[in-house]
Amino acid sequence: MDKYCVNKTPQANGDHEVHKEDCLFWPEKKQVMDLGYHTDCHSAMMRAKMHYPQSNGCRHCCAPCHTT
C-alpha cells in the first residue's frame, strides 16, 4: 500500500491534486491533507473527494486517476 495526500491549494482550474508519497510533485507539508495508505489511486481519490469534490489525480504519480 502507498501513502497518498491531496493538495489543499487548488490548481488554477480549481482541481485539488492527489499525489502518491514518492511523487516529485508532492506538495509542501503545510499544503498537504494526509489521505492515509491506499492500495491504488482510486481509493485515495474517493477519500479526497470527501473533502474536495473537485479532486484530480496527479498526471505523474496517479495517471490512472488523472482526468484533466
Side-chain angles (χ1 to χ4, degrees):
M1 293 195 2
D2 294 303
K3 186 173 183 175
Y4 289 84
C5 78
V6 61
N7 193 335
K8 294 179 186 178
T9 306
Q11 301 291 320
N13 67 358
D15 286 353
H16 291 265
E17 281 193 330
V18 173
H19 297 274
K20 197 184 316 185
E21 186 173 37
D22 62 353
C23 183
L24 294 174
F25 300 98
W26 183 271
E28 292 181 31
K29 191 170 187 165
K30 66 182 179 179
Q31 295 176 293
V32 168
M33 175 183 282
D34 183 16
L35 297 174
Y37 290 86
H38 297 271
T39 54
D40 58 34
C41 66
H42 300 287
S43 173
M45 286 292 297
M46 286 176 36
R47 179 76 184 258
K49 287 182 181 245
M50 295 169 85
H51 303 280
Y52 301 107
Q54 190 175 336
S55 294
N56 192 15
C58 170
R59 69 182 175 118
H60 300 283
C61 66
C62 298
C65 295
H66 178 74
T67 57
T68 57

